[in-house]
Structure formats: C-alpha cells, structure tokens
Amino acid sequence: MNSLDDVHIIDLPKKIDPRGNLSFLESNSSIPFEMERVYWIYDVPGGETRGGHAFRQQKEFIIVLSGSLDIVVFDGEKEKKISLNRSYYGLYIPNGIWRRMENFSTNTLVVCLASTIFDEKDYIRDADEFIKYRNAR
Ligand code: TYD
C-alpha cells in the first residue's frame, strides 16, 4: 500500500529559450505509468476545493500549467501539503492516497494525467470509507 513517501515531485525537462520556454513529458519514461487519460481543471472560483477523494487503482501526475494551488495528500494517518506553482514539474500521486486541491489562485489551470480511463467505481469519496480501506490492507 502506498504511503506519503511515494507521493513526490517529478521535475520535467525545461528548454529555456528567448522565444519562450518549453517543457514536455513522455508516458513511462518521465512519469512512472502509462497515461490513458488527460483531464484539466480551470475557472475555479476563489475559495473552492476540488478532488477530495482517493483512487483504488488510478495513479496520476498533476501539473499546474498556470497559477498556483495546494494539494493536500493523506494516507489514512498522516497529511502533507504540497504547493504547486510552476509548469516544469508536477506531483506524482500513486493509487490509495486521498488528495484534495485547494487555495487556487485566479485563473489557475491544472492538467491531470491519469493511468486509467474514467471509472467512478475506482473512486473512494467517503473519508471514513477511505480509512477503513487503508486499515483493511
Ligand atoms: P471528480 O473527479 O469527482 O472531481 P472533483 O473530485 O474535483 O469533484 O469529477 C467531477 C465530475 O466529472 C464527476 O461527475 C465525474 C466526471 N468526470 C468524468 O466524467 N471524466 C473524468 O475524466 C473526470 C476526471 C471526471
């Protein structure tokens, strides 16, 4: 079962160029999974929180392309807050970790690369159920 130690920032290549910088990533080599889906979050009103849940199987990599936010991760025992505000790195979150996104700045654009296609059954949306799920392992 994954713990908070498995949640980590991954730096991406950064091609610095007077014409404008460029970063990129590739499935499997830049991030530790093959991506099957991309989704993005935008137009978040001030004070909103998103993504309070865990996934049974889905791993993900979250990049803040513009703006800033905090991601709070929780493994059933400990909690950690990571601030993201650059487009040349992202946060890897393996499966089995609760996470929520908060403190969005105006016009923040977040892109999430996911290891699975969308499956509502993969979500654990209830915090008590998540703690039971963790303790059962
Ligand atoms: P959800 O992951 O629940 O976002 P949050 O936890 O921030 O509220 O997604 C919101 C809604 O969008 C939910 O009804 C599921 C749907 N959705 C998809 O249909 N496909 C997707 O790839 C994602 C991420 C969400």
Side-chain angles (χ1 to χ4, degrees), residues 37 39 41 50-53 55 99 118 120 123 125:
R37 178 166 49 105
Y39 63 94
I41 299 169
R50 293 215 53 137
H53 50 66
F55 297 107
R99 51 70 157 183
F118 178 74
E120 183 59 44
Y123 281 70
R125 293 187 182 274

PDB file of all heavy atoms in Angstrom, residues 37 39 41 50-53 55 99 118 120 123 125, ligand 1:
ATOM      1  N   ARG A  37      -5.472   8.801 -19.881  1.00  0.00           N
ATOM      2  CA  ARG A  37      -6.473   9.890 -19.885  1.00  0.00           C
ATOM      3  C   ARG A  37      -5.822  11.172 -19.413  1.00  0.00           C
ATOM      4  O   ARG A  37      -4.907  11.149 -18.583  1.00  0.00           O
ATOM      5  CB  ARG A  37      -7.622   9.516 -18.939  1.00  0.00           C
ATOM      6  CG  ARG A  37      -8.707  10.545 -18.798  1.00  0.00           C
ATOM      7  CD  ARG A  37      -9.925   9.892 -18.125  1.00  0.00           C
ATOM      8  NE  ARG A  37      -9.502   9.169 -16.948  1.00  0.00           N
ATOM      9  CZ  ARG A  37      -9.701   9.596 -15.706  1.00  0.00           C
ATOM     10  NH1 ARG A  37     -10.341  10.723 -15.475  1.00  0.00           N
ATOM     11  NH2 ARG A  37      -9.279   8.894 -14.675  1.00  0.00           N
ATOM     12  N   TYR A  39      -7.187  15.048 -18.080  1.00  0.00           N
ATOM     13  CA  TYR A  39      -8.286  15.983 -17.820  1.00  0.00           C
ATOM     14  C   TYR A  39      -7.704  17.245 -17.205  1.00  0.00           C
ATOM     15  O   TYR A  39      -6.562  17.249 -16.742  1.00  0.00           O
ATOM     16  CB  TYR A  39      -9.377  15.363 -16.940  1.00  0.00           C
ATOM     17  CG  TYR A  39      -8.974  14.968 -15.548  1.00  0.00           C
ATOM     18  CD1 TYR A  39      -9.157  15.837 -14.471  1.00  0.00           C
ATOM     19  CD2 TYR A  39      -8.423  13.726 -15.289  1.00  0.00           C
ATOM     20  CE1 TYR A  39      -8.815  15.469 -13.183  1.00  0.00           C
ATOM     21  CE2 TYR A  39      -8.065  13.348 -14.007  1.00  0.00           C
ATOM     22  CZ  TYR A  39      -8.265  14.225 -12.957  1.00  0.00           C
ATOM     23  OH  TYR A  39      -7.902  13.862 -11.684  1.00  0.00           O
ATOM     24  N   ILE A  41      -8.573  21.136 -15.055  1.00  0.00           N
ATOM     25  CA  ILE A  41      -9.455  21.873 -14.149  1.00  0.00           C
ATOM     26  C   ILE A  41      -9.145  23.362 -14.322  1.00  0.00           C
ATOM     27  O   ILE A  41      -7.967  23.752 -14.308  1.00  0.00           O
ATOM     28  CB  ILE A  41      -9.222  21.412 -12.689  1.00  0.00           C
ATOM     29  CG1 ILE A  41      -9.553  19.918 -12.558  1.00  0.00           C
ATOM     30  CG2 ILE A  41     -10.056  22.240 -11.717  1.00  0.00           C
ATOM     31  CD1 ILE A  41      -9.120  19.295 -11.242  1.00  0.00           C
ATOM     32  N   ARG A  50     -11.362  21.169  -4.637  1.00  0.00           N
ATOM     33  CA  ARG A  50     -11.746  20.095  -5.552  1.00  0.00           C
ATOM     34  C   ARG A  50     -10.985  18.829  -5.196  1.00  0.00           C
ATOM     35  O   ARG A  50      -9.939  18.867  -4.559  1.00  0.00           O
ATOM     36  CB  ARG A  50     -11.411  20.474  -7.000  1.00  0.00           C
ATOM     37  CG  ARG A  50     -12.236  21.632  -7.517  1.00  0.00           C
ATOM     38  CD  ARG A  50     -12.559  21.480  -8.968  1.00  0.00           C
ATOM     39  NE  ARG A  50     -13.177  20.204  -9.283  1.00  0.00           N
ATOM     40  CZ  ARG A  50     -14.208  20.059 -10.086  1.00  0.00           C
ATOM     41  NH1 ARG A  50     -14.763  21.096 -10.644  1.00  0.00           N
ATOM     42  NH2 ARG A  50     -14.678  18.850 -10.353  1.00  0.00           N
ATOM     43  N   GLY A  51     -11.515  17.721  -5.682  1.00  0.00           N
ATOM     44  CA  GLY A  51     -10.757  16.476  -5.647  1.00  0.00           C
ATOM     45  C   GLY A  51     -10.557  15.876  -4.271  1.00  0.00           C
ATOM     46  O   GLY A  51      -9.498  15.314  -4.010  1.00  0.00           O
ATOM     47  N   GLY A  52     -11.545  15.955  -3.408  1.00  0.00           N
ATOM     48  CA  GLY A  52     -11.435  15.290  -2.107  1.00  0.00           C
ATOM     49  C   GLY A  52     -11.838  13.833  -2.245  1.00  0.00           C
ATOM     50  O   GLY A  52     -13.005  13.473  -2.069  1.00  0.00           O
ATOM     51  N   HIS A  53     -10.875  12.981  -2.585  1.00  0.00           N
ATOM     52  CA  HIS A  53     -11.150  11.551  -2.785  1.00  0.00           C
ATOM     53  C   HIS A  53      -9.846  10.803  -3.011  1.00  0.00           C
ATOM     54  O   HIS A  53      -8.779  11.421  -3.121  1.00  0.00           O
ATOM     55  CB  HIS A  53     -12.094  11.316  -3.974  1.00  0.00           C
ATOM     56  CG  HIS A  53     -11.693  12.021  -5.218  1.00  0.00           C
ATOM     57  ND1 HIS A  53     -10.546  11.720  -5.901  1.00  0.00           N
ATOM     58  CD2 HIS A  53     -12.272  13.044  -5.894  1.00  0.00           C
ATOM     59  CE1 HIS A  53     -10.452  12.516  -6.949  1.00  0.00           C
ATOM     60  NE2 HIS A  53     -11.477  13.343  -6.968  1.00  0.00           N
ATOM     61  N   PHE A  55      -8.211   7.098  -5.148  1.00  0.00           N
ATOM     62  CA  PHE A  55      -8.471   6.108  -6.194  1.00  0.00           C
ATOM     63  C   PHE A  55      -7.905   4.768  -5.761  1.00  0.00           C
ATOM     64  O   PHE A  55      -6.802   4.699  -5.220  1.00  0.00           O
ATOM     65  CB  PHE A  55      -7.801   6.527  -7.514  1.00  0.00           C
ATOM     66  CG  PHE A  55      -8.331   7.808  -8.080  1.00  0.00           C
ATOM     67  CD1 PHE A  55      -7.572   8.965  -8.032  1.00  0.00           C
ATOM     68  CD2 PHE A  55      -9.591   7.865  -8.652  1.00  0.00           C
ATOM     69  CE1 PHE A  55      -8.058  10.155  -8.555  1.00  0.00           C
ATOM     70  CE2 PHE A  55     -10.084   9.054  -9.179  1.00  0.00           C
ATOM     71  CZ  PHE A  55      -9.315  10.202  -9.125  1.00  0.00           C
ATOM     72  N   ARG A  99      -6.548  12.716  -1.742  1.00  0.00           N
ATOM     73  CA  ARG A  99      -5.984  14.043  -2.072  1.00  0.00           C
ATOM     74  C   ARG A  99      -7.089  15.041  -2.329  1.00  0.00           C
ATOM     75  O   ARG A  99      -8.186  14.709  -2.782  1.00  0.00           O
ATOM     76  CB  ARG A  99      -4.999  13.953  -3.231  1.00  0.00           C
ATOM     77  CG  ARG A  99      -5.416  13.235  -4.513  1.00  0.00           C
ATOM     78  CD  ARG A  99      -6.422  13.971  -5.265  1.00  0.00           C
ATOM     79  NE  ARG A  99      -6.534  13.692  -6.677  1.00  0.00           N
ATOM     80  CZ  ARG A  99      -7.381  14.344  -7.448  1.00  0.00           C
ATOM     81  NH1 ARG A  99      -8.210  15.223  -6.952  1.00  0.00           N
ATOM     82  NH2 ARG A  99      -7.460  14.065  -8.734  1.00  0.00           N
ATOM     83  N   PHE A 118     -11.692   6.861 -17.199  1.00  0.00           N
ATOM     84  CA  PHE A 118     -12.583   7.235 -16.096  1.00  0.00           C
ATOM     85  C   PHE A 118     -13.432   6.043 -15.650  1.00  0.00           C
ATOM     86  O   PHE A 118     -14.055   5.364 -16.466  1.00  0.00           O
ATOM     87  CB  PHE A 118     -13.493   8.388 -16.520  1.00  0.00           C
ATOM     88  CG  PHE A 118     -14.466   8.774 -15.448  1.00  0.00           C
ATOM     89  CD1 PHE A 118     -14.031   9.470 -14.338  1.00  0.00           C
ATOM     90  CD2 PHE A 118     -15.792   8.393 -15.529  1.00  0.00           C
ATOM     91  CE1 PHE A 118     -14.915   9.811 -13.324  1.00  0.00           C
ATOM     92  CE2 PHE A 118     -16.691   8.737 -14.526  1.00  0.00           C
ATOM     93  CZ  PHE A 118     -16.244   9.445 -13.418  1.00  0.00           C
ATOM     94  N   GLU A 120     -15.974   5.538 -12.270  1.00  0.00           N
ATOM     95  CA  GLU A 120     -16.492   6.025 -10.978  1.00  0.00           C
ATOM     96  C   GLU A 120     -16.262   4.997  -9.863  1.00  0.00           C
ATOM     97  O   GLU A 120     -16.057   5.366  -8.701  1.00  0.00           O
ATOM     98  CB  GLU A 120     -17.981   6.369 -11.126  1.00  0.00           C
ATOM     99  CG  GLU A 120     -18.639   6.961  -9.894  1.00  0.00           C
ATOM    100  CD  GLU A 120     -18.022   8.272  -9.386  1.00  0.00           C
ATOM    101  OE1 GLU A 120     -17.732   9.152 -10.217  1.00  0.00           O
ATOM    102  OE2 GLU A 120     -17.826   8.400  -8.166  1.00  0.00           O
ATOM    103  N   TYR A 123     -13.260   5.324  -7.513  1.00  0.00           N
ATOM    104  CA  TYR A 123     -13.189   6.406  -6.523  1.00  0.00           C
ATOM    105  C   TYR A 123     -13.545   5.903  -5.126  1.00  0.00           C
ATOM    106  O   TYR A 123     -14.451   5.098  -4.963  1.00  0.00           O
ATOM    107  CB  TYR A 123     -14.202   7.508  -6.848  1.00  0.00           C
ATOM    108  CG  TYR A 123     -13.825   8.478  -7.945  1.00  0.00           C
ATOM    109  CD1 TYR A 123     -13.766   8.086  -9.276  1.00  0.00           C
ATOM    110  CD2 TYR A 123     -13.567   9.810  -7.649  1.00  0.00           C
ATOM    111  CE1 TYR A 123     -13.454   8.999 -10.278  1.00  0.00           C
ATOM    112  CE2 TYR A 123     -13.266  10.726  -8.651  1.00  0.00           C
ATOM    113  CZ  TYR A 123     -13.206  10.315  -9.958  1.00  0.00           C
ATOM    114  OH  TYR A 123     -12.913  11.212 -10.950  1.00  0.00           O
ATOM    115  N   ARG A 125     -14.865   8.154  -2.203  1.00  0.00           N
ATOM    116  CA  ARG A 125     -15.230   9.558  -1.977  1.00  0.00           C
ATOM    117  C   ARG A 125     -15.577   9.849  -0.526  1.00  0.00           C
ATOM    118  O   ARG A 125     -15.777  11.007  -0.157  1.00  0.00           O
ATOM    119  CB  ARG A 125     -16.422   9.941  -2.867  1.00  0.00           C
ATOM    120  CG  ARG A 125     -16.091   9.950  -4.357  1.00  0.00           C
ATOM    121  CD  ARG A 125     -17.262  10.499  -5.138  1.00  0.00           C
ATOM    122  NE  ARG A 125     -17.027  10.500  -6.573  1.00  0.00           N
ATOM    123  CZ  ARG A 125     -16.411  11.480  -7.233  1.00  0.00           C
ATOM    124  NH1 ARG A 125     -15.964  12.521  -6.579  1.00  0.00           N
ATOM    125  NH2 ARG A 125     -16.247  11.397  -8.551  1.00  0.00           N
TER     126      ARG A 125
HETATM  127  P1  TYD B   1     -14.336  14.472  -9.956  1.00  0.00           P
HETATM  128  O1  TYD B   1     -13.137  13.642 -10.239  1.00  0.00           O
HETATM  129  O2  TYD B   1     -15.333  13.938  -8.985  1.00  0.00           O
HETATM  130  O3  TYD B   1     -13.845  15.910  -9.499  1.00  0.00           O
HETATM  131  P2  TYD B   1     -13.802  16.514  -8.036  1.00  0.00           P
HETATM  132  O4  TYD B   1     -13.377  15.429  -7.120  1.00  0.00           O
HETATM  133  O5  TYD B   1     -12.834  17.636  -8.127  1.00  0.00           O
HETATM  134  O6  TYD B   1     -15.202  16.972  -7.757  1.00  0.00           O
HETATM  135  O7  TYD B   1     -15.058  14.792 -11.333  1.00  0.00           O
HETATM  136  C1  TYD B   1     -16.178  15.656 -11.393  1.00  0.00           C
HETATM  137  C2  TYD B   1     -17.204  15.047 -12.331  1.00  0.00           C
HETATM  138  O8  TYD B   1     -16.650  14.856 -13.621  1.00  0.00           O
HETATM  139  C3  TYD B   1     -17.719  13.699 -11.859  1.00  0.00           C
HETATM  140  O9  TYD B   1     -19.113  13.639 -12.139  1.00  0.00           O
HETATM  141  C4  TYD B   1     -17.011  12.712 -12.745  1.00  0.00           C
HETATM  142  C5  TYD B   1     -16.749  13.491 -14.014  1.00  0.00           C
HETATM  143  N1  TYD B   1     -15.513  13.091 -14.689  1.00  0.00           N
HETATM  144  C6  TYD B   1     -15.568  12.403 -15.875  1.00  0.00           C
HETATM  145  O10 TYD B   1     -16.663  12.092 -16.406  1.00  0.00           O
HETATM  146  N2  TYD B   1     -14.412  12.048 -16.502  1.00  0.00           N
HETATM  147  C7  TYD B   1     -13.198  12.357 -15.974  1.00  0.00           C
HETATM  148  O11 TYD B   1     -12.138  12.016 -16.566  1.00  0.00           O
HETATM  149  C8  TYD B   1     -13.145  13.043 -14.715  1.00  0.00           C
HETATM  150  C9  TYD B   1     -11.838  13.380 -14.068  1.00  0.00           C
HETATM  151  C10 TYD B   1     -14.326  13.397 -14.108  1.00  0.00           C
END
